[in-house]
Amino acid sequence: MTAAHRFCLRVHEALPSTSDLVARLAEAGEPDGLAVLARRQTAGRGTQGRSWEGPSGNLHITMLLRPAEPMRHAPQWSLLAAVALADAVAPMLPDPSILALKWPNDLLLGGAKAAGILTEASATPEGGIAWLSIGIGVNLAHAPEVPGRRTACLADTGIAPPAPEAFAEALLAAIDRRRTERALEGFAPVRAAWLARGPALDTHLAIRRQGAEIAGRFAGLAEDGSLLLASGGRVHAVASGEVA
Ligand SMILES: Nc1ncnc2c1ncn2[C@@H]1O[C@H](COP(=O)(O)OP(=O)(O)OP(=O)(O)O)[C@@H](O)[C@H]1O
Ligand SMILES: O=C(O)CCCC[C@@H]1SC[C@@H]2NC(=O)N[C@@H]21
């Protein structure tokens, strides 16, 4: 059975980057609810200007959203996408306990990176969100080799990997459910679901941010989704950056 969602899915055989196409369409006025999937990406982009390998058999999808909210809420949407991704992946795994989330929005299987999320946004002159794009790459069939990094894919867990379009349907339905939940109950349920799959409290973490590194012990997520890091007798809220 196909789970229901309100996205309009467009499928391309190959694209340089689904996020590049969505950004162009967003600037041209495309409404909320578009999802672009490419079976193969030839110039996929990761966070921090990195590249993202996009072989056929993996999922490459970007959603366009236009929430009427201030720009400071954009990080909540990244965490919402990570939680929805975990909602979609966990039921497929023989052992869902190998799934973990790395702040802000990587998905790990057995500690190795299996999916990444690239959130991009454009602001209105008043500081609102004009558009928000959520690009998600999931290693379904293949775990590309990345020097110095451990990568994983769903097929590594012993399951027949889902076809990208079938997985996209489950993912879009999960995003829709989390979006509705947030509209009704606020950000708290997403925050709780992220914490349930995130690092254990007190884990030592180092966060890289604008070339500098802040280290401390994981103290949870703030109400807005910022990472809380305890060090030197104080708790610091880190709004952006990445875990080293
Ligand atoms: N399909 C893919 N699956 C997993 N990782 C990928 C994939 N394609 C590219 N990568 C690479 O994975 C790396 C990102 O992984 P991660 O965020 O865990 O690294 P990092 O620890 O932040 O990076 P760094 O190497 O700078 O320390 C990038 O180097 C990215 O290019
Ligand atoms: O660095 C990361 O962890 C984020 C990776 C995001 C990859 C996805 S694949 C679909 C979309 N299009 C892109 O060019 N990037 C994102």
Side-chain angles (χ1 to χ4, degrees):
M1 194 185 95
T2 305
H5 60 78
R6 288 166 291 172
F7 285 94
C8 162
L9 180 64
R10 281 185 214 158
V11 178
H12 294 251
E13 193 50 45
L15 282 177
S17 157
T18 53
S19 289
D20 287 351
L21 177 57
V22 165
R24 280 203 303 279
L25 294 171
E27 289 297 325
E30 183 79 27
D32 179 290
L34 173 70
V36 172
L37 181 153
R39 296 200 174 107
R40 198 159 53 79
Q41 265 189 165
T42 53
R45 294 188 287 112
T47 56
Q48 317 286 323
R50 298 196 188 101
S51 63
W52 187 259
E53 299 291 322
S56 152
N58 286 352
L59 179 74
H60 321 101
I61 191 166
T62 301
M63 277 82 52
L64 172 63
L65 302 177
R66 292 187 184 273
E69 294 176 18
M71 196 52 130
R72 64 187 156 76
H73 285 181
Q76 294 187 12
W77 288 94
S78 280
L79 295 170
L80 182 148
V83 163
L85 180 57
D87 291 342
V89 171
M92 297 177 180
L93 300 176
D95 173 12
S97 73
I98 68 165
L99 190 163
L101 296 175
K102 180 179 164 188
W103 188 81
N105 47 24
D106 288 355
L107 185 141
L108 310 178
L109 293 178
K113 181 155 171 166
I117 301 177
L118 176 70
T119 303
E120 296 179 313
S122 169
T124 64
E126 298 76 32
I129 296 174
W131 58 263
L132 182 83
S133 89
I134 302 178
I136 305 186
V138 187
N139 297 336
L140 299 173
H142 311 286
E145 278 186 34
V146 177
R149 298 262 127 240
R150 282 176 61 225
T151 59
C153 64
L154 262 63
D156 290 343
T157 68
I159 60 166
E165 280 148 79
F167 184 80
E169 293 294 334
L171 175 61
L172 293 173
I175 290 178
D176 236 9
R177 278 197 300 274
R178 291 289 181 181
R179 193 179 186 182
T180 303
E181 176 189 63
R182 182 173 175 275
L184 296 172
E185 300 172 47
F187 182 59
V190 165
R191 180 172 164 267
W194 194 96
L195 285 169
R197 303 238 185 237
L201 287 177
D202 275 342
T203 304
H204 181 272
L205 296 180
I207 310 294
R208 260 196 308 265
R209 196 181 162 205
Q210 293 153 4
E213 203 166 280
I214 322 169
R217 302 207 166 266
F218 179 59
L221 292 181
E223 304 223 331
D224 66 354
S226 300
L227 183 94
L228 297 176
L229 211 55
S231 76
R234 288 186 52 205
V235 175
H236 307 265
V238 186
S240 64
E242 58 170 4
V243 176

